[in-house]
């Protein structure tokens, strides 16, 4: 099973600032990496797939990069609605496995 | 609009059974594989089970293999999860999720809470 490790566990950011979240795979997953956003009491929502492709309706301030074992989700200018938990998921090997999540909180 | 709506959660005693349902609308249900993903209170996401578009292939996490059964009824646009021999470790919000076709999940239901407690 591929283990996904996210860092940091918690990221404190002021509104308007940039947030950079990391996700590392225990072995190469090529570009088969997705990012999800989850707000309290809500289901996860797909943000990014294929490491860098934004899902339908996702604002351009969200961007993904990386391949192989190292991936990054960047939120260029945090808005109030972006404070949430973010999960990465590899789907290169079955079944897809999730990272443990990064909580983005208001500084 | 495209939607998944789970139901069937609740409080159940250890060792008992429960069946979850996930009703789909607004898209071609029979064209997609589906998954169940759960989230224990305060924890992360855990994949539970998956089923192919026609129901011919089913996959399970080791933690539920032999106890849970995933199924679907394409005539009713509904996904199911039969959960037997429930234990406290199965307490979680259970989400159904649509497989985009590549293995990531592009549509999620709102979740249904299963609490296993005596």
């Amino acid at each position: 099973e591929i283990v996904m490790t996210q860092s940091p566990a918690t990221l404190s950011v002021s509104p308007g600032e940039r947030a950079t979240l990391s996700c590392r795979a225990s072995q190469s997953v090529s570009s088969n990496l997705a990012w999800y956003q989850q707000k309290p009491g809500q289901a996860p929502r797909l943000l990014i797939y294929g490491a860098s492709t934004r899902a339908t309706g996702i604002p351009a301030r969200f961007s993904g990069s990386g391949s192989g074992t190292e991936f990054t989700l960047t939120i260029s200018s945090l808005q109030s609605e972006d404070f949430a938990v973010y999960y990465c998921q590899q789907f290169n090997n079955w079944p897809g496995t999730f990272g443990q999540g990064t909580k983005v909180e208001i500084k | 609009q495209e939607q998944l709506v789970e139901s069937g959660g609740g409080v159940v005693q250890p060792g008992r059974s429960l069946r979850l349902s996930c009703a789909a609308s607004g898209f071609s249900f029979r064209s997609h594989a589906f998954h169940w993903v759960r989230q224990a209170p305060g924890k992360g996401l855990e994949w539970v089970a998956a089923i192919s578009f026609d129901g011919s292939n089913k996959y399970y996490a080791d933690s539920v293999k032999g106890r849970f059964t995933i199924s679907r009824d394409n005539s009713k646009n509904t996904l199911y999860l039969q959960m037997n021999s429930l234990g406290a470790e199965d307490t979680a919000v259970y989400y159904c999720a649509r497989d985009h076709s590549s293995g990531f999940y592009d549509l999620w239901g709102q979740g249904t809470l299963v609490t296993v407690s005596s």
Side-chain angles (χ1 to χ4, degrees):
Chain A
E1 178 181 294
I2 297 178
V3 177
M4 307 301 292
T5 303
Q6 292 185 241
S7 61
T10 303
L11 187 61
S12 297
V13 185
S14 299
E17 290 187 342
R18 173 188 295 260
T20 303
L21 290 67
S22 296
C23 175
R24 173 176 293 178
S26 59
Q27 64 188 77
S28 177
V29 298
S30 186
S31 294
N32 296 315
L33 191 285
W35 290 94
Y36 302 88
Q37 176 194 65
Q38 187 178 34
K39 298 178 182 179
Q42 296 186 16
R45 176 177 70 147
L46 177 67
L47 293 178
I48 301 282
Y49 62 92
S52 61
T53 302
R54 279 190 302 277
T56 302
I58 301 303
R61 64 180 182 273
F62 291 91
S63 62
S65 63
S67 65
T69 61
E70 300 285 342
F71 300 88
T72 300
L73 174 69
T74 301
I75 312 171
S76 60
S77 177
L78 270 160
Q79 306 298 303
S80 58
E81 61 267 29
D82 300 335
F83 292 96
V85 178
Y86 293 83
Y87 293 94
C88 63
Q89 179 223 359
Q90 69 80 20
F91 52 94
N92 190 66
N93 284 22
W94 186 273
T97 47
F98 294 94
Q100 80 280 17
T102 291
K103 181 180 181 180
V104 177
E105 64 176 23
I106 300 174
K107 186 175 182 180
Chain B
Q1 75 279 21
E2 299 181 333
Q3 194 174 12
L4 298 172
V5 179
E6 299 96 334
S7 60
V11 180
V12 61
Q13 293 179 329
R16 302 300 291 266
S17 300
L18 206 59
R19 188 177 84 156
L20 306 182
S21 299
C22 171
S25 59
F27 65 95
S28 176
F29 178 78
R30 65 182 65 243
S31 298
H32 292 270
F34 283 88
H35 302 254
W36 287 99
V37 177
R38 68 184 179 184
Q39 186 171 38
K43 302 298 185 182
L45 302 169
E46 179 191 15
W47 174 80
V48 172
I51 187 167
S52 60
F53 71 99
D54 61 356
S56 60
N57 295 294
K58 304 175 183 182
Y59 310 90
Y60 300 95
D62 288 343
S63 58
V64 307
K65 199 171 295 182
R67 300 188 299 123
F68 289 13
T69 301
I70 189 172
S71 63
R72 64 190 295 162
D73 186 337
N74 285 348
S75 68
K76 295 182 178 179
N77 292 344
T78 303
L79 175 73
Y80 302 100
L81 185 67
Q82 177 67 43
M83 304 186 294
N84 298 332
S85 303
L86 285 162
E89 68 277 10
D90 298 314
T91 293
V93 174
Y94 285 73
Y95 297 101
C96 60
R98 185 177 71 182
D99 191 307
H100 176 268
S101 80
S102 302
F104 59 89
Y105 315 131
D106 65 349
L107 182 67
W108 296 67
Q110 87 288 352
T112 187
L113 176 62
V114 173
T115 302
V116 183
S117 174
S118 55

